Every structure is written in structure tokens, then in C-alpha cells.
């Protein structure tokens, strides 16, 4: 890695080596879980006697645990603004660890194009107990440990309407400083306020990243909140080479709503789309698709969540990773991947599905990964030529080991070239004769 105008430029396979996480390869840090457990103990008035996660959680009154579980199971069942007054412990225990690593996806997108800075100023809106800033710190911690001669500085401006959440976030971030390498420094500023779409949130400050996680949805606002108006105003707080990062739940409804909002912001010229869901074969003046995609970070389930599962929590019990959706918006026209000018021997997905079927014929295709399924050993791609249907690429058992290794590391939003695949029953088959290239 080298630095160009304050931005990290990664060479060769550095991004893949640093952040190309295999399925279930990365553990959720114990030190981070212990910080959260310490806060849980403080919240309920217990004194902790050891650092074992499970035994510490087992000492908590069962009725407290069951109350947390009931909150999780019942939340978001009604489409209305969430009342946090009796759910602070629930967010600290369950939603905080579930959400921490989601921000890695858009940050890695920015790193791919050399748009991640060594000194960065972040405005996080609706920060909650601090999941997104913690995730940013965890990613920069990897960088700081790898490149020990380089100094990294992060300034966080955290905004939330809940005083208790800001107290949690501030406490955790301050305790995290003890676990950071000396070349990584963080500063934290807090702002307690109700966020609405009518007023300017921050005066006279500009940021490298303006982020929000689980914030632009109907569970966080009353009907008078206008997400388009709100995001449009934030443009004034964004540096020219800055990015808006939006992360939302992985449900179909939330994905569709976010994409419709994205379409309007892009089509009306407020922002350009940096990632994901870029068109491969043509520059689109207007975006009109709102198909379902989902993403997950393959981090092992933390003991904090496993304990709740053992105590009766059914939500996501059999899902190792929590799905989510995200997008990155900018104003400078940059995109993670540029449009392919030379088609050469490639087919668009539309050409394949609408062409004359030939038994045994093989195709070269490329596209952006929409989602993947470890269970079905397959991933779904889109090249912009067909946006109303999903086309999956199934990895056969006889595929070469290199392909299987790449599949383990492949993530949503990445560009892939798939060569010599067959098309059968509206899906593509990748076998021992096929090749897979991934552009991290």
C-alpha cells in the first residue's frame, strides 16, 4: 500500500488478503464482547467477577434475559416508529453486535478504488449504541496493524435522539482505545438531538463519510419525515470526494424502499451511485430497478447472540449471518467499476436467456454479485441487461478448488467474470471446465 493525496492505494492482492473473509473464518473479537458484557452488567447493577462470556451472561437474572428475548421477537412486527424507552438493553445486547461489521462492505468498496483516507472525518446519524463507528474502528485496526509505519486518525461526530445510546457509544469507543495500535487515533464528538428532514443537521462542517445504519426506514420516523429531502440537504455537508453510506435491514421491503429512494436521488442528479448494483455494459442515465438483493458479512456468531439462542431466542437462530442491504453515493461521478467498453467474447445475460438454446453450449458472462447462498453453493449476478429476474450461478461439486476458494470469499457488489458456463433451467452451471475471476 502507498498513500496518494491522503488516500490509501492498495497493490496486488492486498485488499483480498486483508478483507476477503472466508465463510465463518473470522471470529467476533472477545475483547469487544467483554466491553459489551461489562456495559450490560453496569446497566442491570451487577458486579462482574470473571471474563468468560457465557458464564457471565448465565449470572444474569433469567427474567431479564427473557425480557430481552421478548423484545427481539416482537420488534418490527408493526410498521410504526420504534419506542426505545424500554429497549436499551436489547439494543446493547443483540442489535449492537449484529450490526458492527456491516459497514465493512461499503468501506471495502471505497478501498477498492483507492478512496479510503488515512485521516477521516465521519458523521454517523442515528448512531444508536455505536455499531457503525465500532465497525469502522475494527476495519482501521486491521489496516493499522498491517501498516505499522502509517498513522491513521478518525474523527467521529455521532448524532442520536437517545441520550442512553450516546452514553453507550461513548463508553465503548473510549474503552476500545485500550485495544488499538499506537498508530490509530480516534476522537469522538456527540450530539443529542431529534433528526428531522426540515432542518439542517450540522452547520458549517464537511465530512469524508456521512453514514447511517438502519435509519432511513419507517421504524425510525413519523410520517412527516422525508428521506429524499433529508439526504439531499446532507450534500452540503459532504466533501467533494466524500461518500454517503446507507445501510438498511435485509428484508425485501426495506431493500425495495431503499432502491426506490436511490433511484430518485440519482435520477434527479443529487448523487451518483458508487456501489453496488452498477450496470456492466452501458451507462445508465436513469436507474429504475428495485429488485431484491442482500448481503452478509461472514463473521462467526458472537457468544452474546449464541447465549440468547440457547435461552430461547428463535430470530435468526439458524442463520449464521444477518442479511442487510447497503449503498454508497457520491457527487464526483466515481463508480467502483467502470462500464465495459469492449465486449469481446462475452454475452450479456439477456442475450443468453433470449437466445436459441443449444445443448452443451458454454458462455462467458460478467456481472455484479447480488447475493450468494452458502447453503445452495451458488451466487446471483446482474449485468443490468435483465433487472426483473434473478439468475443464479451454481457451483458444481467437480468445480476446481480455485473456484471454490473464490466462492468462499466472494461478496455482494463485486464484479465477476464467469467463463465457459452452461445455461440450464434459467440458471448457470459452473463446473470443472468453467473459470471464475473476481475483481475485489
Amino acid at each position: 500500500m502507498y498513500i496518494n493525496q491522503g488516500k490509501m492505494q492498495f497493490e496486488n492482492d492486498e485488499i483480498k488478503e486483508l478483507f476477503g473473509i472466508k465463510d465463518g473464518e473470522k471470529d467476533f473479537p472477545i475483547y469487544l464482547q467483554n466491553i459489551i458484557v461489562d456495559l450490560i452488567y453496569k446497566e442491570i447493577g451487577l458486579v462482574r467477577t470473571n471474563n468468560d462470556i457465557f458464564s457471565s451472561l448465565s449470572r444474569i437474572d433469567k427474567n431479564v434475559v427473557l425480557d430481552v428475548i421478548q423484545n427481539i421477537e416482537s420488534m418490527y412486527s408493526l410498521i410504526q416508529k420504534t419506542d426505545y424507552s424500554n429497549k436499551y438493553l436489547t439494543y446493547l445486547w443483540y442489535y449492537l453486535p449484529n450490526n458492527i461489521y456491516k459497514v465493512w462492505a461499503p468501506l471495502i468498496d471505497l478501498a477498492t478504488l483507492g478512496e479510503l483516507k488515512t485521516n477521516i472525518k465521519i458523521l454517523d446519524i442515528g448512531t444508536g449504541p455505536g455499531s457503525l463507528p465500532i465497525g469502522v474502528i475494527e476495519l482501521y485496526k486491521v489496516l493499522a496493524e498491517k501498516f505499522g509505519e502509517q498513522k491513521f486518525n478518525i474523527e467521529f461526530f455521532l448524532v442520536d435522539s437517545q441520550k442512553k445510546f450516546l452514553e453507550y457509544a461513548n463508553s465503548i469507543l473510549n474503552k476500545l482505545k485500550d485495544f488499538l495500535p499506537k498508530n490509530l487515533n480516534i476522537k469522538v464528538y456527540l450530539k443529542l438531538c431529534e433528526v428531522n428532514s426540515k432542518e439542517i443537521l450540522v452547520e458549517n462542517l464537511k465530512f469524508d463519510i456521512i453514514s447511517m445504519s438502519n435509519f432511513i426506514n419507517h421504524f425510525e420516523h413519523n410520517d412527516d419525515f422525508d428521506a429524499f429531502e433529508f439526504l439531499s440537504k446532507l450534500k452540503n455537508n459532504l466533501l467533494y470526494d466524500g461518500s454517503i453510506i446507507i445501510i438498511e435491514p435485509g428484508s425485501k421491503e426495506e431493500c425495495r424502499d431503499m432502491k426506490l429512494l436511490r433511484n430518485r436521488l440519482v435520477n434527479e442528479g443529487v448523487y451518483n451511485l458508487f456501489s453496488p448494483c452498477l450496470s456492466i455494459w452501458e451507462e445508465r442515465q436513469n436507474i429504475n430497478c428495485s429488485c431484491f438483493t442482500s448481503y452478509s458479512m461472514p463473521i462467526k456468531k458472537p457468544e452474546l447472540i449464541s447465549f440468547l439462542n440457547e435461552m430461547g431466542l428463535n430470530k435468526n437462530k439458524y442463520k449464521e449471518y444477518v442479511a442487510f442491504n447497503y449503498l454508497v453515493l457520491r457527487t464526483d461521478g466515481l463508480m467502483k467499476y467502470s462500464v465495459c467498453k469492449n465486449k469481446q467474447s462475452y454475452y450479456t445475460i439477456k442475450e443468453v436467456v433470449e437466445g436459441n438454446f443449444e445443448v452443451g453450449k458454454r458462455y462467458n458472462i460478467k456481472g455484479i454479485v447480488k447475493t450468494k447462498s452458502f447453503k445452495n453453493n451458488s451466487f446471483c449476478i446482474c449485468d443490468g441487461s435483465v433487472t426483473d429476474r434473478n439468475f443464479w450461478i451454481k457451483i458444481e461439486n467437480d468445480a476446481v478448488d480455485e473456484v471454490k476458494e473464490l466462492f468462499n470469499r466472494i461478496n455482494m457488489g463485486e464484479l465477476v467474470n464467469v467463463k465457459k458456463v452452461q445455461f440450464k433451467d434459467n440458471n448457470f452451471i459452473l463446473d470443472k471446465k468453467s473459470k471464475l475471476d473476481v475483481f475485489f
Side-chain angles (χ1 to χ4, degrees):
M1 181 194 78
Y2 65 94
I3 308 301
N4 181 25
Q5 297 181 339
K7 298 177 182 179
M8 291 173 270
Q9 311 298 309
F10 295 93
E11 303 177 283
N12 303 320
D13 290 331
E14 285 181 326
I15 289 181
K16 182 173 71 174
E17 291 168 0
L18 287 167
F19 304 118
I21 302 167
K22 292 181 184 178
D23 179 24
E25 180 184 63
K26 181 174 174 56
D27 288 313
F28 196 103
I30 293 297
Y31 65 84
L32 187 50
Q33 293 193 71
N34 272 316
I35 290 174
I36 297 172
V37 173
D38 286 344
L39 262 181
I40 292 173
Y41 261 56
K42 182 179 179 181
E43 186 68 20
I44 59 180
L46 285 180
V47 177
R48 196 172 178 196
T49 57
N50 65 72
N51 285 329
D52 182 78
I53 304 296
F54 258 80
S55 65
S56 295
L57 295 175
S58 298
R59 289 189 59 219
I60 297 174
D61 186 281
K62 187 175 181 181
N63 289 326
V64 173
V65 178
L66 293 178
D67 186 55
V68 168
I69 291 173
Q70 183 179 2
N71 275 341
I72 298 168
E73 299 284 15
S74 62
M75 282 184 68
Y76 308 123
S77 58
L78 298 176
I79 300 178
Q80 61 185 31
K81 184 177 179 180
T82 303
D83 177 9
Y84 292 105
S85 59
N86 65 339
K87 300 179 178 68
Y88 296 122
L89 185 61
T90 301
Y91 268 77
L92 180 62
W93 192 330
Y94 180 77
Y95 290 102
L96 173 62
N98 262 329
N99 291 332
I100 283 173
Y101 284 94
K102 293 179 180 180
V103 73
W104 278 36
L107 291 180
I108 292 170
D109 284 353
L110 291 169
T112 300
L113 207 65
E115 287 297 314
L116 209 54
K117 298 179 180 179
T118 55
N119 300 310
I120 193 165
K121 185 181 292 186
I122 299 175
L123 170 64
D124 187 42
I125 303 168
T127 200
S131 58
L132 191 141
I134 295 169
V136 173
I137 291 171
E138 285 295 303
L139 184 135
Y140 269 80
K141 182 173 182 282
V142 173
L143 294 169
E145 290 174 342
K146 174 67 175 179
F147 306 106
E149 74 290 346
Q150 176 63 51
K151 290 185 178 180
F152 299 88
N153 298 287
I154 313 173
E155 279 189 90
F156 290 109
F157 292 75
L158 309 182
V159 178
D160 204 278
S161 63
Q162 305 295 312
K163 182 180 180 181
K164 179 69 75 172
F165 281 158
L166 289 178
E167 290 173 352
Y168 287 161
N170 193 46
S171 175
I172 295 171
L173 295 180
N174 281 322
K175 289 182 179 180
L176 271 181
K177 293 178 182 179
D178 295 335
F179 298 91
L180 302 182
K182 293 182 179 179
N183 58 326
L184 173 56
N185 298 302
I186 62 173
K187 291 183 180 179
V188 181
Y189 305 91
L190 308 175
K191 182 174 181 177
L192 176 66
C193 71
E194 289 284 347
V195 178
N196 63 69
S197 56
K198 306 300 179 185
E199 300 175 3
I200 296 174
L201 182 59
V202 180
E203 294 276 7
N204 303 321
L205 285 177
K206 290 186 179 289
F207 300 89
D208 300 293
I209 289 177
I210 300 175
S211 58
M212 55 208 77
S213 178
N214 298 347
F215 181 77
I216 304 294
N217 61 67
H218 43 258
F219 297 113
E220 299 297 330
H221 306 284
N222 294 318
D223 293 338
D224 61 348
F225 182 82
D226 187 328
F228 177 83
E229 180 183 18
F230 175 71
L231 285 166
S232 298
K233 287 180 178 177
L234 285 177
K235 186 176 181 179
N236 296 324
N237 295 112
L238 195 66
L239 289 168
Y240 173 74
D241 59 351
S243 301
I244 299 277
I245 292 176
I246 302 174
I247 300 170
E248 287 294 321
S251 68
K252 290 185 179 181
E253 182 180 3
E254 304 303 333
C255 177
R256 180 179 179 276
D257 288 347
M258 186 176 73
K259 287 190 172 182
L260 290 173
L261 176 61
R262 171 207 66 186
N263 294 351
R264 186 180 174 194
L265 288 165
V266 172
N267 295 344
E268 296 191 20
V270 182
Y271 299 105
N272 69 273
L273 179 63
F274 177 83
S275 71
C277 296
L278 298 171
S279 178
I280 297 300
W281 299 115
E282 61 182 0
E283 295 182 6
R284 291 185 290 182
Q285 299 301 318
N286 289 286
I287 305 177
N288 56 19
C289 62
S290 57
C291 58
F292 174 59
T293 56
S294 67
Y295 181 88
S296 61
M297 283 301 295
I299 311 294
K300 288 182 181 177
K301 184 178 291 189
E303 284 88 340
L304 282 159
I305 308 299
S306 298
F307 176 82
L308 292 175
N309 289 147
E310 288 193 8
M311 293 297 291
L313 176 65
N314 290 314
K315 185 173 183 178
N316 294 321
K317 182 176 182 178
Y318 301 106
K319 292 182 180 180
E320 192 66 25
Y321 319 120
V322 177
F324 63 96
N325 297 288
Y326 77 94
L327 63 92
V328 182
L329 302 169
R330 291 173 67 96
T331 62
D332 58 3
L334 281 181
M335 298 183 293
K336 183 182 178 185
Y337 300 116
S338 58
V339 171
C340 298
K341 301 295 184 181
N342 190 352
K343 233 178 102 173
Q344 295 181 335
S345 58
Y346 286 87
Y347 288 81
T348 67
I349 292 176
K350 184 176 182 180
E351 288 171 340
V352 175
V353 301
E354 294 183 356
N356 296 321
F357 178 75
E358 297 179 31
V359 177
K361 184 172 181 177
R362 292 179 178 268
Y363 301 90
N364 297 336
I365 58 173
K366 62 174 63 178
I368 301 292
V369 178
K370 291 177 64 176
T371 188
K372 75 173 181 178
S373 169
F374 289 110
K375 180 180 179 181
N376 296 315
N377 214 32
S378 60
F379 61 97
C380 181
I381 69 170
C382 178
D383 65 357
S385 64
V386 182
T387 59
D388 60 346
R389 283 177 285 171
N390 286 336
F391 295 95
W392 289 83
I393 298 176
K394 175 73 167 65
I395 312 292
E396 295 288 85
N397 291 332
D398 64 354
V400 299
D401 290 341
E402 182 182 357
V403 167
K404 294 177 181 178
E405 174 75 9
L406 284 171
F407 171 73
N408 279 336
R409 295 185 181 273
I410 200 172
N411 284 324
M412 174 187 166
E414 289 166 354
L415 174 64
V416 295
N417 288 355
V418 193
K419 300 177 181 179
K420 297 183 179 180
V421 293
Q422 297 186 71
F423 183 67
K424 184 179 180 182
D425 298 328
N426 282 321
N427 292 302
F428 294 94
I429 308 297
L430 195 159
D431 57 20
K432 62 183 179 181
K433 294 183 179 181
S434 310
K435 294 183 179 180
L436 174 65
D437 293 325
V438 181
F439 297 87
F440 291 94

